[in-house]
Amino acid sequence: MYEFELHQIRSAELRRQAANERLAREAVRGARAARREQARQAAEGEVHSQRPRRHLFARAS
């Protein structure tokens, strides 16, 4: 009976540990998604002219 109780305790401990790891991964994933979204919004706010860029050097003939 004692071995069975130890097994139950260990099993519950492993379940809690797995749940905590899942929660941590979800938090990291959420933070990464928030950073990505913030970068996307910052890129949309930048002003770009529609005229083509001029070449810095003249073409060689």
Side-chain angles (χ1 to χ4, degrees), residues 22-52:
R22 278 193 297 273
L23 187 61
R25 281 194 306 269
E26 185 178 328
V28 168
R29 195 176 303 127
R32 191 178 298 139
R35 281 194 308 269
R36 222 179 293 127
E37 179 65 21
Q38 186 178 14
R40 186 186 63 78
Q41 288 178 354
E44 286 178 356
E46 292 179 5
V47 177
H48 295 285
S49 64
Q50 294 300 322
R51 73 184 162 95

Side-chain angles (χ1 to χ4, degrees), residues 2 4-8 11-12 16-19 22-23 27 29 32 40 42 49 55 58-59 61:
Y2 179 72
F4 179 71
E5 290 174 359
L6 284 178
H7 173 71
Q8 294 286 62
S11 178
R16 278 192 300 272
Q17 184 179 358
R22 278 193 297 273
L23 187 61
R29 195 176 303 127
R32 191 178 298 139
R40 186 186 63 78
S49 64
H55 295 287
R59 289 188 182 199
S61 298

Side-chain angles (χ1 to χ4, degrees), residues 53-61:
R53 275 182 73 131
R54 290 188 302 168
H55 295 287
L56 296 176
F57 303 104
R59 289 188 182 199
S61 298

